[in-house]
Amino acid sequence: MCAQLGDEQILVDDGKISSKSRNLPNLLKMDAKLSQLATLAQKDKIAGYLGLLSEILSRANQGSVADDLQVLVDTVVNQETASLAIGRQVLTELVKNLVTGQIVDHDLRKRITQDTLRVLQPRIVSYEEQVNSLRFQLADLLEVEEEWTEAARVLMGISLDSGSRSLPDDEKFRIYIRIVRLLLEDEDSVQAETYYNRAALLSNSTTNRETQLQFKLCQARISDYARKFLEAAMRYHELSWAADIDEEERRELLSSAVTCAVLAPAGPNRSRVLASLYRDERSCDLPTYNILSKMFLDHILRPAEIHSFEQTLKPHQLAQIAISSNDRLASTVNDEEPSEPSSSKRTGPSTVLDRAVMEHNLLASSKIYNNITFRGLGALLDLSPGAAETMARKMVEQGRLKGSIDQVDKLIWFDGGKEEDDAQGKAGGLGDVVQTTEDTGAPFTRRWDMQIRTTAANVEAIVQHLAAKGLIQPTAVSA
């Protein structure tokens, strides 16, 4: 029930007077003070309102501060007794006091900020600068509470390009990156990618090292969530060398790089990334080093090792994947022969990890066997013979597996020929280049190393030729 007293309403619930009615004396006092200020000359009103604001904020008992501030803000913003200039000065002073910590209590600051924004929302065009400052503060408070998505939504409401005030590009860039970071904390990768694309257009607008590192980290995490694991692994590994980042965070980045490299599609590109991570002396201290070394050395992975690695993955890295209707049909057509009771009935990988492990084991088996039957490969990969043939066919088509498929004899032949053309050592007509071979454990890594050695030797030969002709002066190298 309720009772009416003057212009105020007193609420009664089960015999108890509500909190609003308990603040009624303070509200009446505020009305009296504001009525008194309304009678002052225009030149004296600013000092009067600022004095009242200071008096409210400096109270020892802050129980009624939020209500009184809301009344004050509503008066200077919406009442005709106060001009726009007065409203802006009062709000600027309020924002400054909130920033400097005049209100210590976290919940009270949050309530004041939310109430003030609610009052200003209909007149946001007139108080754009003050609204933006309040939104930054509210986002800080929500971030402390780990309300990541809510904090991001508050920042999304900031006016970045308006007719009266446009923020510089570097500040827009920082806001976009912060929104992306907050959304990724709640794994909202779809909306995060939208704001990341906006930030990418402004990536050259700042020289601040911290902001640039945050942008690169967002770039790596977006690729990770989008299942572009190879790109994510390279970016994580690059960031793990940044001296500006804390040592423990660098170790986490290196671990993320290894995880993404393991989940990446098997093939030459992944072999290069695995080689780079395997040779990183810090990798041996990671819990995922065992699976990294086995993949780099082209060893077949066992179920126990896969299960142990699976425990370290994040939810999006365990996402289910759908088998296309074409692949399912191809697997059925190729399984016309009666199968053994113990053979697998699976028609394809079910998760991202499943696919990565199966493709790796298929690639590893090509280093062991000259050929293998569809049924034998299916037993190795825990797939039906038709599904195993379909996976091998796709990898051959994509250039990630060298071999051929004999569908008459139901055999997969692996190409174990020479990795490099012998003529590569004679590029540019410079004659034979002496090359040494180092056993790195993986054929694609050996081929990559050979290309680097060949290129370096050819560059050295060109430099010597130019020096002999007197076209360049050799530089002495001091010890």
Side-chain angles (χ1 to χ4, degrees):
M1 60 178 294
C2 63
Q4 196 77 17
L5 178 61
D7 292 332
E8 297 293 334
Q9 191 179 51
I10 302 177
L11 303 178
V12 181
D13 184 14
D14 295 334
K16 296 182 179 179
I17 299 177
S18 70
S19 59
K20 182 177 180 180
S21 64
R22 287 197 297 270
N23 291 331
L24 182 58
N26 291 324
L27 293 175
L28 292 175
K29 290 180 182 179
M30 278 295 298
D31 285 341
K33 292 178 182 178
L34 291 172
S35 299
Q36 184 179 1
L37 290 174
T39 62
L40 295 176
Q42 195 68 20
K43 61 179 182 179
D44 298 325
K45 283 184 178 180
I46 293 179
Y49 282 118
L50 292 177
L52 180 56
L53 174 64
S54 178
E55 184 269 322
I56 295 172
L57 294 173
S58 61
R59 289 176 187 169
N61 182 10
Q62 297 186 335
S64 61
V65 167
D67 292 329
D68 289 351
L69 284 177
Q70 186 176 6
V71 172
L72 175 60
V73 170
D74 182 66
T75 300
V76 298
V77 171
N78 297 321
Q79 301 300 321
E80 296 180 356
T81 55
S83 64
L84 180 61
I86 294 175
R88 285 178 175 172
Q89 289 201 39
V90 171
L91 288 169
T92 301
E93 186 66 20
L94 174 59
V95 169
K96 185 174 73 172
N97 280 277
L98 291 174
V99 170
T100 56
Q102 186 72 19
I103 303 295
V104 179
D105 184 78
H106 175 90
D107 292 334
L108 182 57
R109 283 181 61 198
K110 180 180 175 183
R111 181 185 168 189
I112 292 171
T113 306
Q114 290 174 326
D115 290 346
T116 305
L117 283 172
R118 196 176 301 114
V119 173
L120 292 177
Q121 189 61 37
R123 303 193 61 185
I124 189 173
V125 176
S126 302
Y127 298 96
E128 186 177 314
E129 184 176 352
Q130 291 78 13
V131 168
N132 287 353
S133 299
L134 288 168
R135 284 187 173 274
F136 280 124
Q137 291 190 55
L138 182 56
D140 291 338
L141 296 170
L142 291 170
E143 192 170 350
V144 171
E145 297 176 358
E146 298 187 358
E147 295 287 344
W148 313 116
T149 302
E150 288 302 317
R153 287 174 181 167
V154 169
L155 292 175
M156 291 176 195
I158 293 176
S159 301
L160 301 181
D161 292 299
S162 65
S164 58
R165 183 175 180 268
S166 180
L167 297 178
D169 286 348
D170 60 336
E171 191 169 347
K172 293 179 192 175
F173 181 66
R174 285 196 297 271
I175 294 172
Y176 286 143
I177 291 300
R178 188 178 177 187
I179 292 173
V180 172
R181 182 174 56 81
L182 290 169
L183 291 172
L184 288 176
E185 289 293 334
D186 272 344
E187 300 192 356
D188 186 356
S189 59
V190 176
Q191 196 168 12
E193 188 169 3
T194 300
Y195 281 88
Y196 166 77
N197 292 334
R198 296 182 186 180
L201 299 175
L202 304 172
S203 58
N204 295 325
S205 63
T206 182
T207 57
N208 183 275
R209 177 64 174 166
E210 182 180 354
T211 307
Q212 290 175 339
L213 289 174
Q214 288 178 351
F215 174 69
K216 290 181 179 180
L217 178 57
C218 290
Q219 197 173 29
R221 295 182 67 186
I222 289 289
S223 298
D224 190 351
Y225 279 101
R227 300 181 194 171
K228 299 175 182 178
F229 293 117
L230 195 62
E231 181 180 341
M234 292 187 290
R235 298 197 182 282
Y236 278 133
H237 194 208
E238 178 188 354
L239 284 169
S240 72
W241 289 107
D244 306 271
I245 301 177
D246 182 72
E247 179 66 30
E248 186 60 30
E249 292 181 4
R250 292 207 302 270
R251 188 174 185 273
E252 289 294 327
L253 290 168
L254 180 62
S255 178
S256 298
V258 172
T259 298
C260 289
V262 170
L263 295 175
N269 292 331
R270 190 191 67 163
S271 295
R272 285 194 285 269
V273 176
L274 288 173
S276 179
L277 291 167
Y278 182 77
R279 291 171 178 171
D280 192 326
E281 59 185 13
R282 303 170 298 168
S283 297
C284 59
D285 296 326
L286 298 176
T288 52
Y289 178 72
N290 180 53
I291 196 167
L292 168 65
S293 61
K294 289 209 164 190
M295 281 202 159
F296 170 70
L297 298 172
D298 289 326
H299 293 173
I300 292 178
L301 298 173
R302 302 301 177 187
E305 298 164 340
I306 299 168
H307 179 72
S308 176
F309 176 72
E310 187 177 9
Q311 306 305 312
T312 66
L313 298 182
K314 298 176 182 177
H316 72 275
Q317 295 168 337
L318 292 170
Q320 300 286 322
I321 56 176
I323 304 172
S324 69
S325 57
N326 289 338
D327 288 346
R328 188 178 291 107
L329 179 61
S331 301
T332 305
V333 170
N334 292 333
D335 286 340
E336 294 176 350
E337 294 184 0
S339 60
E340 298 178 0
S342 59
S343 63
S344 175
K345 303 296 182 183
R346 297 178 65 189
T347 57
S350 58
T351 65
V352 174
L353 177 60
D354 258 355
R355 181 174 60 191
V357 170
M358 288 178 184
E359 290 183 352
H360 167 77
N361 284 343
L362 175 53
L363 197 60
S365 65
S366 71
K367 309 300 188 297
I368 302 173
Y369 304 106
N370 290 326
N371 59 62
I372 190 171
T373 64
F374 294 173
R375 193 180 302 279
L377 183 60
L380 179 66
L381 303 181
D382 189 23
L383 291 174
S384 66
E389 186 266 339
T390 299
M391 177 172 284
R393 172 179 52 79
K394 290 175 69 175
M395 291 183 67
V396 171
E397 288 174 352
Q398 295 167 0
R400 296 189 286 130
L401 176 67
K402 294 188 179 298
S404 59
I405 298 177
D406 186 341
Q407 291 185 323
V408 175
D409 293 331
K410 297 189 180 299
L411 281 174
I412 300 175
W413 289 87
F414 300 116
D415 185 4
K418 298 179 69 175
E419 297 282 346
E420 293 293 329
D421 184 6
D422 293 336
Q424 278 193 352
K426 303 179 182 181
L430 298 176
D432 292 335
V433 178
V434 178
Q435 300 174 346
T436 58
T437 303
E438 177 186 355
D439 184 11
T440 58
F444 291 115
T445 304
R446 289 197 297 272
R447 183 171 65 184
W448 185 30
D449 292 345
M450 189 68 69
Q451 290 173 343
I452 294 174
R453 291 193 183 96
T454 301
T455 303
N458 290 339
V459 170
E460 178 64 23
I462 292 172
V463 171
Q464 292 178 0
H465 182 73
L466 293 175
K469 295 290 186 179
L471 298 176
I472 61 171
Q473 295 294 329
T475 304
V477 179
S478 58

